Structure formats: C-alpha cells, structure tokens
Amino acid sequence: MFPKDFVWGAATASYQIEGAVNEDGRVPSIWDTFSATPGNVENGDTGAVACDHYHRYKEDVALMKQLGLKAYRFSIAWGRVLNGQQVNQRGLDFYSRLVDELLAAHIQPWVTLYHWDLPQNLQDEGGWTNRAIVEKFAHYADVVTRALGDRVKHWITFNEPWVFTYLGYGIGYHAPGISSLPAYLSAAHHFLLSHARSVPIIRGNSPDSKVGVTLDISQPEGDPRAVARQRDFHNHWFLDPIYFGEYPQELFTVYQEMGYLPDIQDGDLEAIQGKPDFLGINYYTRQVVEYDESDPLHLTRWVHQPESEYTEMGWEVAPESIYRMLKYINDRYAPDAMVITENGAAFADEVSDDGQVHDPRRVAFYDAYLRNCLRAIQEGVPLKGYFAWSLLDNFEWAFGYSKRFGIIYVDYETQQRIPKDSAKWYSQLIKRNGFE
Ligand code: FCB
C-alpha cells in the first residue's frame, strides 16, 4: 500500500497537447518556429493542432475523472498569457476555466510555469542567454499566480532545465536550435536565477501553496569516474546551486579552463540557494556508462545492454534504477518532499479489432517502476506523489507524433481518445492505492 495521501496523477505540457496556436491572442513560441523549420522535427510535425486540447479540455477532464486521477499536471503557454509585457486576458481565462473544470472534478491542478515554449519575441532578445529574462520570467510568474493562485496550490517553476538549456542552447537538438556550450551555461545560470526569483512571488500570490521545480535526473551506473562526471554534468550542476549555493567544483574548473563559464555576479549563488517545498523528478531510464578519455568534458560513453528491453525511444527499461536514483538524490540533498512528476514509456501502440488498445508492455513498465518507488518509500524516501507521462499521446518534441507515451490513445485524424489498457490498470491501482 502507498501512503494514505499519496498523489496519483498524469502529466502533459502545453505545446505537446493544446494546438490552437493562433487562437485568442497567443503569440508564437520557439517551438512553433523550430518545428516549422524543415529538418528539425521528424516528419515535419508541429504542435499546430496536436491533441486539440484547447478546445477539448472538458472532454479530457471528464476522462481524468473517469480514471479517478487525483491530480493533473499541465503547463501554461507563456505566449498565451503575455504578449511582451501586455497581459492577454483571453489566454489567462482558458487556464482559469481548465482549473475550475479540474476542481469541479475533484482533481488537484499541478501547474508547471515553464515547459519549454518560450515566446519567440523573447528569444529574439536572446532568450535564456540574456540576463534580462530573469525579470521577464518573474513578471510572467506574477501574472499567472495572481490569476490562478487562489485555486492552484501546487506550482512547478520549471521543467527539466538540463534539457531545455543543453539540448536547446548547447547542441541545438531542441528549440531554439543553438549549438554553443557557453550559451548553454549562461541559459542554465539564468534558469537558476529565474527559478529563485520567482519562488517568493508565487508564495506571495498563492497562499498555502507548495512550490517546487522539476528536473530530469540522470542515473548513470558503471565506471565510478564516468558516473561522477555524468552526475555533475546532468544533475549536480542544477541541484547543487539550489540546495548548497554552489556549482560542483571539479566541473566548474573544467568549464573555467575551457572559457565557458557564464557571468556569475556577486550574490547570485546566495540568491539561488533555497530549498524548494518539493523536488519534482522526471525519470525514465538509466545510463550504463564506461569511462571515455577521448571526451574530456563528459568522460562518458553509454553502453547498450543487449539483454535488456528497450522502449520505442531507445531507452532501457530499468525499473530497479528508479529506486537507486531516489535513494541517491535523497541521500545527497535530503529534500523535504519528492514527487515523480513524469514516468512512462513509448511503445508502438495500435487500435485492435476490438476497438481497444492493448499495451501490456506499458502496464508491465508502470507496475515494475512503481514497485520500486514503493520500496524507496518503505525505506524512508519522502516520495509524496507520482504522475504518469502522459495522459495523452502527444507531440513528442523532435520526434513529432511518432512516439506514443499516453495512457490514453489519440487518433490524430479524428481526435478520438481511447483509454489504453494501461489507463484501466492505473485506474485500478489508484482505487486500491496499491498493487493487487
Ligand atoms: C520529458 C519531457 C516531456 C516528454 C517526456 C517523454 O523529457 O519533460 O515533455 O517529452 O520527456
């Protein structure tokens, strides 16, 4: 059995499901620009229509209610609610209606402020590499939490800073498509400042709320030298400043010698340090690593595990590793609370002749990962909730619609939703608050 008040949810993100990109005053985001550029996204897919959730949110909330979800994690599209400094009331109203719909269904809204869809007009001024973004983000956080803070009591400032700064600015695999390590480190520093700057604003506008941040924790396993570097690079670079008020020393020196360090001003690290109310963790897979001297920065080579099962993303199914990851993060940072804000798997789902979607591999995936979460809880890890990624099949970034992560199948031609077997399984698990 899971703890009595354990939060069971499912997650999505604005650009991946909403569609309606030109409606009610929304301004373009870097993902509109990036996906419109040939070669960036598989199949030339874009989020222009996606799951049409903007128009179908009532139907989607009804499905969540039917499944018995206790919580729903979604993100706000910055460019729907602000055009520059100008508030767009129609955009805010959409989220306000969604929140009311959820509350009426007794589902807690968990809101992510930034899940990667930066307004293009801010990218035109340098985006996350321009320190001015800190005040822009603070304003955005203020506008959203003033409008929704009376009803929303769980806030996540950012989703996966390593992904949007490194993949977006460091190697150009995600929007805005820039490949520069100094740009990456500057974006990462401004993320840290923006997160810290927004926390007191959110708390002020949303009394009695919990404010957290979500990271994609990497779990390297193998050669200790490679493990140490990979953890510094992917995890500690973001979490040490927040929990300890400092960057990890060894990697800091490496970046310094390469001349990559961002402009870190007096007082920045003091400002960044501060325990969030909860640490959100997105977790999918581990990386088995070997030491690789030919890469002086990362020192790491990933090794394929021939005996393991892999998902459509090419990610190893490694359920025990979520247990080890939770223990390591708990030992290092002792967070007051932890929440798995994403976990799930992409498989090549199809609608069967009976009109249903049978996804036994996804059921087995969830079952095994959740058993390992429970084991961590039983050993004292303060894990307070779990969100399946994703509620719906959706726009999987650079992979477009080719990867299906939903517990609900989406037919993109008709926008029909079909709860998969995994959704029914999850629903039963929630009802029992544990395994059979
Ligand atoms: C995470 C993202 C989420 C989704 C999953 C599969 O990195 O936060 O939007 O794409 O991966």
Side-chain angles (χ1 to χ4, degrees):
M1 281 297 208
F2 282 80
K4 185 168 105 287
D5 42 5
F6 197 75
V7 179
W8 293 108
T12 64
S14 46
Y15 191 70
Q16 296 181 275
I17 64 163
E18 286 179 356
V21 291
N22 296 315
E23 250 160 281
D24 293 338
R26 178 189 181 276
V27 296
S29 77
I30 54 175
W31 271 95
D32 294 282
T33 312
F34 187 77
S35 59
T37 311
N40 284 341
V41 175
E42 224 171 290
N43 216 11
D45 290 341
T46 76
V49 179
C51 307
D52 196 32
H53 171 78
Y54 193 74
H55 298 117
R56 293 169 194 264
Y57 73 92
K58 285 194 177 177
E59 181 193 338
D60 292 337
V61 173
L63 282 167
M64 297 177 213
K65 187 178 177 184
Q66 192 184 310
L67 295 179
L69 297 188
K70 309 269 184 243
Y72 172 52
R73 172 180 177 235
F74 64 95
S75 77
I76 308 270
W78 188 334
R80 267 196 211 286
V81 304
L82 275 173
N83 181 357
Q85 298 298 97
Q86 188 69 41
V87 174
N88 178 27
Q89 193 58 43
R90 285 178 299 168
L92 273 178
D93 289 346
F94 166 70
Y95 294 109
S96 187
R97 289 195 301 274
L98 172 59
V99 165
D100 288 342
E101 194 76 16
L102 288 164
L103 292 174
H106 304 290
I107 298 168
Q108 292 175 8
W110 286 53
V111 174
T112 309
L113 289 173
Y114 189 77
H115 201 128
W116 310 350
D117 43 358
L118 184 73
Q120 181 63 44
N121 56 42
L122 292 176
Q123 183 53 41
D124 296 341
E125 300 167 7
W128 292 104
T129 64
N130 181 347
R131 194 173 168 110
I133 196 77
V134 179
E135 286 312 309
K136 303 269 164 83
F137 183 76
H139 177 228
Y140 163 61
D142 184 43
V143 166
V144 173
T145 54
R146 261 173 208 274
L148 306 178
D150 56 337
R151 287 157 292 156
V152 173
K153 296 300 169 190
H154 295 90
W155 297 97
I156 294 165
T157 55
F158 282 84
N159 181 68
E160 299 193 353
W162 179 85
V163 173
F164 81 83
T165 58
Y166 184 69
L167 299 189
Y169 293 84
I171 60 170
Y173 176 68
H174 273 187
I178 293 167
S179 303
S180 149
L181 288 179
Y184 152 56
L185 290 169
S186 139
H189 191 64
H190 297 142
F191 144 72
L192 287 165
L193 288 167
S194 302
H195 158 74
R197 173 87 174 79
S198 70
V199 172
I201 297 173
I202 302 169
R203 289 193 177 129
N205 289 340
S206 185
D208 307 317
S209 64
K210 302 274 186 217
V211 186
V213 57
T214 280
L215 281 91
D216 54 307
I217 300 297
S218 170
Q219 172 67 8
E221 302 189 333
D223 186 298
R225 295 164 301 173
V227 167
R229 177 52 60 86
Q230 168 69 8
R231 284 178 167 180
D232 274 357
F233 167 63
H234 199 117
N235 305 337
H236 306 162
W237 195 259
F238 297 87
L239 284 177
D240 284 13
I242 293 177
Y243 283 91
F244 307 147
E246 61 192 21
Y247 280 113
Q249 195 48 55
E250 208 178 288
L251 187 56
F252 189 89
T253 308
V254 172
Y255 285 140
Q256 194 167 35
E257 282 164 3
M258 290 172 156
Y260 288 168
L261 282 185
D263 174 26
I264 302 169
Q265 298 181 6
D266 283 351
D268 279 3
L269 285 156
E270 289 80 355
I272 289 165
Q273 184 177 13
K275 247 192 181 189
D277 296 323
F278 64 92
L279 175 62
I281 295 178
N282 294 351
Y283 191 76
Y284 292 89
T285 188
R286 66 169 179 170
Q287 294 85 33
V288 178
V289 291
E290 274 173 3
Y291 188 65
D292 182 4
E293 256 167 336
S294 71
D295 179 353
L297 182 53
H298 302 116
L299 306 175
T300 302
R301 182 174 40 239
W302 293 16
V303 197
H304 186 84
Q305 300 302 294
E307 75 288 358
S308 291
E309 180 189 5
Y310 282 79
T311 70
E312 281 291 295
M313 297 293 280
W315 296 346
E316 185 190 358
V317 178
E320 298 85 23
S321 70
I322 196 171
Y323 162 81
R324 293 189 290 267
M325 179 280 295
L326 286 167
K327 297 280 277 191
Y328 136 62
I329 292 296
N330 192 45
D331 288 349
R332 185 175 175 95
Y333 299 110
D336 292 335
M338 288 152 94
V339 175
I340 295 290
T341 42
E342 289 180 22
N343 176 232
F347 292 111
D349 304 309
E350 279 170 18
V351 182
S352 299
D353 292 341
D354 61 2
Q356 304 295 308
V357 179
H358 303 299
D359 57 342
R361 293 177 70 193
R362 186 174 290 103
V363 170
F365 180 100
Y366 278 124
D367 183 87
Y369 276 70
L370 275 163
R371 284 179 195 275
N372 282 283
C373 289
L374 184 56
R375 185 173 162 215
I377 294 171
Q378 286 161 348
E379 290 179 23
V381 172
L383 184 67
K384 304 295 183 191
Y386 177 94
F387 290 76
W389 182 273
S390 175
L391 179 73
L392 302 167
D393 290 339
N394 62 44
F395 176 80
E396 179 44 42
W397 308 112
F399 294 95
Y401 297 98
S402 70
K403 305 287 183 248
R404 293 183 175 273
F405 270 96
I407 56 172
I408 297 176
Y409 183 90
V410 176
D411 178 333
Y412 295 111
E413 298 291 314
T414 63
Q415 291 296 347
Q416 192 198 351
R417 275 88 162 122
I418 306 173
K420 303 178 191 176
D421 286 356
S422 55
K424 298 169 194 163
W425 175 89
Y426 193 44
S427 176
Q428 292 306 313
L429 180 93
I430 295 172
K431 212 172 275 166
R432 290 188 303 261
N433 201 38
F435 303 98
E436 233 167 334

